Amino acid sequence: EDLYLNYVCYTIIFFCTAFCVVGLPVSFGLVYPQFEDMQHVEVEGVWQIVFSTFLVYSMLPLRTWVAISYGVLLSCLHTIMSVVVMDSDLRLLAQWQQVAANILILITVNLVGIFIHNLTEEGQRRAFLDTRDCIAARLEMEDENEKLERLLLSVLPQHVAIEMKADIMSPVERQFHKIYIQKHENVR
């Protein structure tokens, strides 16, 4: 089956998550004395989350609930981390517009991703159903052709039926003017 495809999808999700975690506005306990005056801002990591979320929704063949769970979880993680980092310096009241803009961007990318994911699933489902109907029609036509051939062989002798089929299959302009009458002697 396509079990390996799930492994590839979850590996891509793992790397996207690692990419987003590295971009979060947190220093992970690392202290660099020469950069103490540079503080984390709440905008850090938003584009990584937007990119990863949109990638999961639009490019990976995952179930809808997995894609939605990934997008919502990543968005909530970034929002919580931004609020925690800003609250430690009591900057939350001064920078609430930036947090609101981040939340709006993350909600929007999730809604657009869900929309694109559903359109993709619907298109794939429609293509699958059309292919299935085409195969079913072809099998039905082959069955009908076999029935017609058996009927033809039950009415005509085999050599006449074969000659008639060969003439019908060949693209000759005057094929319907040929007469399939043969004279047989000693027929009682």
Side-chain angles (χ1 to χ4, degrees):
E1 298 279 336
D2 290 336
L3 187 60
Y4 70 94
L5 188 61
N6 283 336
Y7 293 139
V8 170
C9 288
Y10 290 127
T11 303
I12 291 172
I13 285 179
F14 173 76
F15 284 116
C16 285
T17 305
F19 177 64
C20 292
V21 167
V22 169
L24 285 175
V26 196
S27 61
F28 299 106
L30 300 173
V31 178
Y32 299 102
Q34 65 268 27
F35 298 110
E36 283 183 10
D37 58 337
M38 294 184 179
Q39 297 178 357
H40 291 289
V41 292
E42 56 279 351
V43 179
E44 290 180 30
V46 172
W47 76 267
Q48 288 97 334
I49 291 175
V50 167
F51 175 76
S52 297
T53 303
F54 195 73
L55 177 82
V56 167
Y57 279 123
S58 61
M59 298 293 179
L60 297 182
L62 296 170
R63 295 195 178 274
T64 304
W65 70 269
V66 174
I68 290 173
S69 300
Y70 179 78
V72 169
L73 185 72
L74 218 53
S75 299
C76 290
L77 177 71
H78 182 272
T79 304
I80 290 169
M81 293 303 290
S82 295
V83 169
V84 167
V85 166
M86 288 176 50
D87 194 38
S88 64
D89 296 335
L90 298 175
R91 295 180 305 157
L92 184 59
L93 294 176
Q95 297 291 327
W96 68 270
Q97 289 123 346
Q98 184 62 51
V99 174
N102 288 351
I103 291 172
L104 184 65
I105 288 171
L106 296 173
I107 288 172
T108 303
V109 78
N110 276 296
L111 291 176
V112 169
I114 291 169
F115 178 72
I116 288 175
H117 187 76
N118 285 340
L119 281 179
T120 304
E121 270 193 8
E122 183 181 328
Q124 289 173 348
R125 180 71 178 156
R126 190 176 313 121
F128 171 76
L129 291 175
D130 289 346
T131 303
R132 186 190 67 180
D133 291 344
C134 181
I135 290 171
R138 183 176 178 180
L139 291 174
E140 186 177 321
M141 188 184 327
E142 287 175 1
D143 188 42
E144 193 66 33
N145 284 342
E146 287 177 12
K147 287 179 184 176
L148 287 174
E149 189 171 339
R150 284 195 308 259
L151 179 65
L152 185 64
L153 288 175
S154 70
V155 175
L156 297 174
Q158 185 176 9
H159 67 281
V160 175
I162 291 174
E163 181 183 347
M164 191 171 157
K165 272 180 56 178
D167 286 342
I168 289 174
M169 295 299 216
S170 66
V172 178
E173 292 180 19
R174 310 178 105 225
Q175 71 181 6
F176 294 107
H177 296 289
K178 189 171 183 179
I179 299 175
Y180 296 98
I181 299 176
Q182 295 181 353
K183 185 176 182 181
H184 295 281
E185 296 180 10
N186 296 332
V187 178
R188 294 181 194 200

